[in-house]
Structures are given as C-alpha cells and as structure tokens.
Amino acid sequence: MADSDKTDEVLNQSVQERLLNAAEDIFCEKGFEGTSIRDIAASAGCNIASVNYYFGGKQQLYEQVWKRHLIPMKDSRLQSIEKILLQNTKKHTLEDLIKSFAESFIGSIVDSQKVSNLNKLMAREYINKHLPANMFLEEVMMPTVTAMQKALIEAFPDINEEKIPFIVFSLIGQLVHVVHVRAMFENGIDDLTRKLFDSDEVINHIVKFTCAGIRTYIKENK
Amino acid sequence: MADSDKTDEVLNQSVQERLLNAAEDIFCEKGFEGTSIRDIAASAGCNIASVNYYFGGKQQLYEQVWKRHLIPMKDSRLQSIEKILLQNTKKHTLEDLIKSFAESFIGSIVDSQKVSNLNKLMAREYINKHLPANMFLEEVMMPTVTAMQKALIEAFPDINEEKIPFIVFSLIGQLVHVVHVRAMFENGIDDLTRKLFDSDEVINHIVKFTCAGIRTYIKENK
DNA sequence: CACCTTATTAAACGAGTGTTTAATACGGCA
DNA sequence: TGCCGTATTAAACACTCGTTTAATAAGGTG
C-alpha cells in the first residue's frame, strides 16, 4: 500500500513536496497528535530525519501544510463574495450572495475531497490549536467574516447593521456544522443524514433558511 | 497548587470520585491525548496505578467521565422540549420551543462553567472520537435531534415535514457554533465577539433567526 | 582528481506514555 | 493474635514519540 503510492509521478516530486503532501493527508485523517513523523516519512518514502532537515520539526511542517492552503482558501471565499457584488447588473439578490458564499465554503464545486479533508482538519484546529497564535483565525476566519459583513451592509443597506455579526455567525455556524456532521458520519451514515452529503440540497436549504432569518432584521423605515 | 486542591472536603471523597473529578477537569482542558494519567493521579492525590485498579485504564476512565453526564445532559434537553409542549395552555409559540431548547443546549441557566467545559470536550469528541462506537451520538445527539423533530412536527403541523431534519440541523449548527466560538476566543476576545458570550443576546438572535427560517417551510395550504 | 556543499541514511538518544508487577499497609473477622 | 481480602504504593516494563547525531552518498566546481 505504501509502496504503491510511490508512483513515478510521486517520486519525481522533491522530498519537500512529498513530505508536504503526505503530511497533509495524514494530518487530515488523524489530526496533529495522532500523526507521527514516522508515518509521514514512510508515506513520503524518505527518512524520518528529513522532516527536521527540511522543515525543522513536526510543528513547522504542520504550519507549512497549512500555509499552502490558507491564502487560496481565504481568496476563494472572498472572491465568491466579490463575484456576486461586482456583477455589473444591480439585480444580485440576497440569495445569490449567500449561495455563492456557501458553495465556496463547503466546496461543492472544485476538488471537493481535498476541501473536505481540509475542513475536517480545520475543525480539529478549532478545538485543539497547534498553529501559532491565531494564524488561522486572523488569516482566514476574520477576513472572511469581515468581508461577508461588509458585503451585507453595502449591498443590502436595509438590514439592521448592528445585527450583521449575528447573521454571519448563524450562516457560518450552519456551514461549519455541515463539515462536522459529515465527519461524524463518514462511516455508516443513515438515511436521515445522507442528504447532508448532497451539497445541492443542503446549500439550497441553508440559503433559504438564512435569507429568511436575515430578512427578519430588515429595518421598518425605508 | 496541587496540594491546595486536597482540601478536607476533597479528601473525604472516595478515590474513584476524586479520579473522576480530576479526570473530567483535565480532559476538558487538554483533551484525551493531551491528558496523562500521571496528571490525573497527581491532581486526584493518588497513585497512577489506581486508574487501572479502579477503572481498568485511561480509556475506560474517560468513558466513565462521560457516562456521568450523558444521560443527565440528554434528559435536560428532552425536558426543555417537553416543558414547552406539555404546558396545559395551548398557546406555546414556536419561539418558546426554540428558546427553551437553545437555553438547555448552551446552558445559560445552571452551572454554566461546568456545562461549558463539557461542551468543549464534546466539541473535541466530534472530531477525534475516543468514545466507543457512537456512544455520544446514539445516547445524546440522536435522541435530542429526534425529540426536537417530533416536537416540531406535532406542535406545528403546518411545517413542511420533510424539511424538519434540515431545520433541526440549522438550529443545532448554530448552537454548536456558539460553543466553538467561545472555545476559540477563550483567551483575549475582541469587541465583536464578546457579545457571543452574553447568552441572552445570542439566544435571542438564534430564536428570532431560526423561527424566521422555519416559517419559510410552512405549507401554503392551511 | 581533490574538495566542498548538499542530501540522505541508520542508529541512538532522552523523554514521555499507559500498563503491569510485586511488595507493603490497612482493617475487619475468627 | 493470625489470617485474609482490599487498597495503595514505588518501581519497572515495554513502547512510541520527536529530535539529534555522525557517517555516508551524491553532485557540481576548482
């Protein structure tokens, strides 16, 4: 199994790349503490000492795994917001904005398996922090939340502005919950929850549900 | 510090009780892997071997820590639902039901510190499972979800029944997110998120937001 | 060729883990 | 008192972990 991974294509990658890829897979599956650098090195087909030689240690390898994805992840989410707002037509609806954001968050479109794994690792990071300071928080979460708040305020000025943080909280809460529930039921899902794995149906629900909630906060005066 | 814990009151407890209490505190703070039985034994003021003598090992001690709370936790949530439904007056509103459930979930009422710690440990358990099979899922989550779904169907038959699972999903997603965000910001919260620690304000929002979302699914025919 | 930097390796290190063992202390009972 | 089951202990065990070391190999440059 480990040997079959070492295809020509893989072996053509540099040791650093192989380590990063192997580390990402195993970290996603087993979390930081659950992963040993011996596992990583074996999967990457190189010596344990390479981890320290190239990255300086397990911790810093973990950080590099993240840094490869944090900025693209953040950018993807920000772009999903801007994509809607910058439509030259002014007829973008609240539903459009929420839907575009939800899709980029859950990752129903591109590379869903990889996004799902990263989301799972991110869920771990919520609870057991291994990244320095609040790297993930400051580089991904806060910019995303802030951008979403700003988008709502600017595009839909009728919404009660001081409730915007709560609205974004509810939206992200639901989206994160999708990731968690999927992780919980990754082995043996039952009928009731299987639909949560159908991104379209979940997203449609979240969009409808959230927009209704948002419209509760529309100011009376217009 | 460890010695100061050993007040007379604590020492009067049995070794089992002291181990369970110490284990609960440290497990909540550091998670399963992050906790060593040496830490637990030291905090409980007894020998490491006691863990294996009384509980059979770290894993089984962890399970006992949970079993002390799972049933009461589940019962608390179920009762919060029934409390509303069984009011002899028929004038319970959707808001009453959601609010009562949310309060029992977040634990704004009783013993908020302990509930918060357990919720944090539960958040860990979502991601890194250490309980056998799906003990938490089957003994707490599923009964709670099922009861909530049933309550909504019976008390508010106007709601589109096949959307009920999604509704409960969105509600619980928001409630769990409160726990997660609180855990993330436990050190150094900023102004924007401080309000999330005010249970009243968060709960009021979630109730309003969720009820609006639910009413989206009210059938047209009446 | 000799030289030097970079890569890669097997082996060892030291610390920490959960668990087990074997010895000791306690406390009721005959 | 002597016995016995329970409780508690210090020590050892076997193992895994991340990291370090020191030796070897590779590859380009003079």
Side-chain angles (χ1 to χ4, degrees):
Chain A
M1 176 65 95
D3 286 331
S4 68
D5 286 342
K6 304 175 193 171
T7 60
D8 294 339
E9 172 190 303
V10 171
L11 283 177
N12 282 341
Q13 298 175 337
S14 72
V15 177
Q16 285 103 318
E17 285 175 300
R18 270 151 49 204
L19 278 173
L20 280 171
N21 291 330
E24 179 172 317
D25 289 342
I26 307 182
F27 277 139
C28 284
E29 187 187 353
K30 302 185 177 180
F32 183 79
E33 280 104 354
T35 299
S36 74
I37 62 173
R38 283 172 175 81
D39 291 339
I40 296 173
S43 173
C46 62
N47 194 271
I48 349 170
S50 302
V51 171
N52 285 274
Y53 182 77
Y54 285 109
F55 296 95
K58 180 188 182 183
Q59 172 72 34
Q60 292 153 77
L61 170 59
Y62 182 77
E63 293 171 18
Q64 289 304 318
V65 165
W66 270 109
K67 283 185 179 161
R68 282 204 303 177
H69 294 289
L70 285 182
I71 282 84
M73 192 185 303
K74 181 197 67 183
D75 291 344
S76 159
R77 293 179 183 178
L78 295 188
Q79 281 168 19
S80 74
I81 297 172
E82 287 181 14
K83 189 184 74 182
I84 301 300
L85 294 188
L86 294 184
Q87 283 177 163
N88 44 15
T89 76
K90 261 288 186 185
K91 60 169 184 173
H92 52 252
T93 67
L94 187 53
E95 275 75 9
D96 292 332
L97 175 61
I98 303 298
K99 180 162 193 169
S100 176
F101 181 73
E103 283 174 345
S104 84
F105 202 100
I106 298 186
S108 68
I109 306 173
V110 284
D111 212 351
S112 66
Q113 181 57 36
K114 175 152 260 177
V115 171
S116 168
N117 283 343
L118 279 174
N119 276 335
K120 212 167 127 191
L121 188 56
M122 199 183 317
R124 296 184 203 265
E125 190 67 26
Y126 281 179
I127 311 300
N128 270 46
K129 298 184 183 60
H130 299 290
L131 295 177
N134 287 320
M135 177 173 132
F136 166 71
L137 190 71
E138 287 165 8
E139 294 196 26
V140 181
M141 214 60 202
M142 289 304 293
T144 306
V145 169
T146 303
M148 194 65 202
Q149 291 179 351
K150 235 180 82 180
L152 282 171
I153 293 174
E154 289 177 4
F156 306 97
D158 282 346
I159 302 174
N160 185 348
E161 194 168 327
E162 67 182 17
K163 295 297 183 179
I164 296 276
F166 288 97
I167 289 172
V168 174
F169 160 86
S170 285
L171 172 59
I172 292 186
Q174 294 173 78
L175 294 173
V176 169
H177 198 49
V178 173
V179 178
H180 283 170
V181 171
R182 284 179 175 176
M184 283 176 73
F185 288 92
E186 65 182 350
N187 306 328
I189 53 181
D190 62 357
D191 289 340
L192 284 178
T193 53
R194 181 168 292 121
K195 291 194 168 182
L196 284 177
F197 287 79
D198 175 6
S199 286
D200 282 346
E201 198 163 355
V202 188
I203 287 181
N204 284 339
H205 158 72
I206 291 179
V207 169
K208 190 174 179 184
F209 189 93
T210 300
C211 290
I214 293 177
R215 295 207 168 91
T216 311
Y217 290 126
I218 286 186
K219 301 174 200 162
E220 298 82 3
N221 58 336
K222 58 186 302 277
Chain B
M1 176 64 93
D3 288 331
S4 67
D5 286 341
K6 304 176 194 170
T7 61
D8 295 339
E9 175 190 302
V10 171
L11 284 178
N12 282 340
Q13 298 175 336
S14 71
V15 178
Q16 286 103 320
E17 284 174 301
R18 271 151 49 204
L19 279 173
L20 279 171
N21 290 331
E24 179 171 318
D25 290 342
I26 307 181
F27 277 139
C28 283
E29 187 186 353
K30 302 184 177 181
F32 182 79
E33 281 105 354
T35 300
S36 74
I37 62 173
R38 282 172 177 81
D39 291 338
I40 295 173
S43 172
C46 63
N47 193 272
I48 7 169
S50 302
V51 171
N52 284 276
Y53 183 77
Y54 284 109
F55 296 94
K58 180 189 183 183
Q59 172 72 35
Q60 292 152 77
L61 170 60
Y62 183 78
E63 293 171 19
Q64 290 303 318
V65 165
W66 270 108
K67 283 187 180 159
R68 282 204 303 179
H69 295 289
L70 285 181
I71 282 85
M73 192 185 304
K74 180 197 67 182
D75 289 346
S76 159
R77 293 178 183 178
L78 295 189
Q79 280 168 20
S80 74
I81 297 172
E82 287 182 14
K83 189 184 75 182
I84 301 300
L85 294 189
L86 295 184
Q87 284 175 162
N88 44 14
T89 76
K90 260 290 186 181
K91 61 170 185 174
H92 52 252
T93 66
L94 186 53
E95 275 74 9
D96 292 331
L97 175 61
I98 303 297
K99 180 163 192 168
S100 177
F101 181 73
E103 283 174 344
S104 83
F105 202 100
I106 298 186
S108 68
I109 306 174
V110 285
D111 210 352
S112 65
Q113 181 59 36
K114 175 152 262 178
V115 171
S116 167
N117 283 344
L118 279 174
N119 275 337
K120 212 166 127 193
L121 188 56
M122 200 183 319
R124 296 184 203 264
E125 190 66 27
Y126 280 0
I127 311 301
N128 270 42
K129 298 184 184 61
H130 299 290
L131 294 178
N134 287 319
M135 177 172 130
F136 166 72
L137 190 72
E138 287 165 8
E139 294 195 27
V140 180
M141 215 60 200
M142 288 304 293
T144 305
V145 169
T146 304
M148 194 64 202
Q149 291 179 350
K150 235 180 82 181
L152 282 170
I153 292 175
E154 289 178 4
F156 305 97
D158 281 347
I159 302 173
N160 185 347
E161 195 169 326
E162 67 181 19
K163 296 296 183 179
I164 296 276
F166 288 97
I167 290 171
V168 174
F169 160 85
S170 284
L171 173 58
I172 292 185
Q174 293 173 78
L175 294 173
V176 169
H177 197 48
V178 173
V179 177
H180 284 169
V181 171
R182 284 178 175 174
M184 283 175 72
F185 288 92
E186 65 181 351
N187 305 328
I189 54 180
D190 62 356
D191 290 339
L192 285 179
T193 53
R194 182 169 291 119
K195 290 192 169 181
L196 283 178
F197 287 80
D198 175 6
S199 286
D200 282 347
E201 200 163 355
V202 187
I203 287 180
N204 284 339
H205 159 70
I206 292 179
V207 169
K208 190 174 179 184
F209 190 92
T210 300
C211 290
I214 293 177
R215 294 206 168 91
T216 310
Y217 290 126
I218 286 187
K219 302 174 200 162
E220 299 81 3
N221 59 336
K222 59 188 298 275

